Amino acid sequence: MFKAILIEKDDAGYRAGVTELAEDRLPAGDVTVRVDYSTLNYKDGLAITGKGPVVRSFPMVPGIDLAGTVETSAHPAYQPGDQVVLNGWGVGETHWGGLAQKARVKGDWLVPLQAPFTPAQAMAIGTAGYTAMLCVLALEKNGVTPEKGEVLVTGAAGGVGSVAVAVLAKLGYCVAASTGRPQEAEYLKSLGAAEIIDRASLSGPGKPLAKERWAAAIDSVGSHTLANVCAAMRYGGVVAACGLAQGMDFPASVAPFILRGVTLAGVDSVYRPRDQRLEAWKRLAHDLDVSKLDVLTTRIGLEQVVEIAGQLLDGRVRGRVVVDVNS
Ligand code: NDP
């Protein structure tokens, strides 16, 4: 038997809670992993609360991320005892996920735990942090360098935002952090933000073009915020868009793209090819200060997951949440 969060949906309604499951209920897969740590991302919040159509079959063990140790493997790349990490691939949506003490997955979905990170640190990064790195890589691939000017991060006190601020600052960028939580200004400065922007100045309907302010941006918010960010890019600016915390809509005009040559780079983490995942994890090992990870991480046990998932969707969780599935 192993402990897990289980989401059920039936005549009694949509509900999630900690339960004990028999190992023979694990789904098909060629690698069985003893999970050490998992985490809570925005998508996990949607899955656990039922506020978004994330879960595609029931009952479901949520958790789009896991870090753990291989227990048994029929996959040629993995042996018992190997430390592994999984991000995405529909795990926690269509296939039982990481918010459990055991998981059975496809070996092709796994990557080796990246040195020097511990399993807990890998989950402090999780999909949110790995996506922040994919966004940084998207900026770089489009020619952004620290000399080009200030880079804006929206949803800065959240998971993607916090890691993006820390990585960009370490790479030498001047970072403007947009947040709706002025009380987190000191926290964001401790991660390396040079300027704090009130998110209210970006979240309402705006004009097709605004004063040129930023050379690049990482946006995890979407909706009017993303439209206003595009409108305020400098000539040739680049925006990496990965999220929808404000909304999935994009009420914008083409003006920034056709008049200022702005590039909008979409970033997906879930189905990223393996080589790009490995590149992102390698860059995180190089460009993310492990000491900053401690600053941005809260640790909880399985019993607290359902409560904290609700707080995360309300924008009340700072940085990243690591779940010790064995505590
Ligand atoms: P978090 O909840 O940790 O962070 C989201 C942040 O967005 C909040 O902390 C808050 O920041 C801000 N925010 C929340 N609500 C609003 C609002 N109504 N208007 C403006 N800003 C708001 O989530 P994550 O960092 O885990 O994920 C962020 C987004 O990125 C999500 O939409 C998620 O689905 C998406 N994502 C996408 C991935 C991909 O593959 N494309 C992978 C990972 C995440 P503050 O308080 O500082 O204003």
Side-chain angles (χ1 to χ4, degrees):
M1 301 292 286
F2 66 97
K3 275 192 194 165
I5 304 286
L6 194 70
I7 302 173
E8 292 171 280
K9 187 186 175 193
D10 51 27
D11 292 345
Y14 194 105
R15 59 201 183 279
V18 180
T19 192
E20 294 244 349
L21 296 169
E23 227 176 294
D24 62 11
R25 290 190 65 189
L26 283 169
D30 51 4
V31 180
T32 303
V33 180
R34 202 170 61 243
V35 181
D36 296 319
Y37 294 93
S38 186
T39 175
L40 279 181
N41 297 278
Y42 194 86
K43 199 183 250 180
D44 299 313
L46 291 174
I48 290 163
T49 60
K51 285 188 177 159
V54 166
V55 177
R56 302 294 173 179
S57 66
F58 297 90
M60 177 58 60
V61 173
I64 66 171
D65 288 323
L66 65 84
T69 310
V70 172
E71 201 170 75
T72 60
S73 170
H75 190 284
Y78 297 102
Q79 309 301 321
D82 288 350
Q83 290 190 298
V84 290
V85 167
L86 190 149
N87 307 112
W89 294 114
V91 168
E93 302 180 56
T94 56
H95 185 103
W96 282 15
L99 283 164
Q101 292 172 324
K102 286 260 168 86
R104 186 169 296 138
V105 298
K106 281 192 185 169
D108 289 347
W109 295 339
L110 296 167
V111 293
L113 177 70
Q114 174 70 52
F117 300 126
T118 62
Q121 287 168 337
M123 288 296 97
I125 295 167
T127 285
Y130 143 70
T131 302
M133 191 72 230
L134 291 173
C135 289
V136 172
L137 290 168
L139 300 187
E140 290 178 351
K141 280 176 186 143
N142 284 285
V144 178
T145 57
E147 299 71 42
K148 294 263 166 86
E150 205 173 14
V151 178
L152 175 70
V153 175
T154 63
V160 173
S162 293
V163 176
V165 169
V167 169
L168 288 168
K170 182 159 184 216
L171 288 169
Y173 288 91
C174 181
V175 183
S178 164
T179 184
R181 291 180 270 180
Q183 70 275 19
E184 299 300 354
E186 284 315 307
Y187 160 74
L188 290 166
K189 285 182 180 166
S190 77
L191 294 180
E195 191 189 349
I196 307 299
I197 309 252
D198 179 355
R199 84 177 188 204
S201 67
L202 292 168
S203 58
K207 295 182 179 156
L209 283 178
K211 186 169 168 262
E212 294 187 38
R213 289 178 79 177
W214 298 292
I218 293 179
D219 177 65
S220 60
V221 171
S223 190
H224 289 294
T225 300
L226 177 58
N228 288 323
V229 168
C230 290
M233 280 296 114
R234 288 194 197 165
Y235 192 89
V238 184
V239 180
C242 72
L244 44 59
Q246 183 181 4
M248 208 193 235
D249 56 330
F250 182 39
S253 87
V254 296
F257 311 113
I258 63 172
L259 299 178
R260 290 190 184 152
V262 168
T263 298
L264 181 57
V267 174
D268 166 66
S269 66
V270 181
Y271 295 108
R272 274 283 160 152
R274 182 182 170 80
D275 57 333
Q276 295 174 35
R277 290 168 184 265
L278 294 173
E279 182 190 7
W281 276 103
K282 277 208 177 72
R283 284 291 305 272
L284 282 161
H286 193 259
D287 298 325
L288 176 62
D289 238 323
V290 167
S291 65
K292 296 271 168 71
L293 265 186
D294 295 338
V295 175
L296 62 82
T297 305
T298 311
R299 203 183 270 216
I300 63 170
L302 272 185
E303 296 289 346
Q304 293 155 279
V305 160
V306 173
E307 183 195 345
I308 304 294
Q311 292 178 14
L312 190 131
L313 287 194
D314 292 342
R316 288 190 285 137
V317 170
R318 181 176 94 176
R320 298 276 304 130
V321 178
V322 169
V323 181
D324 180 350
V325 298
N326 298 302
S327 84

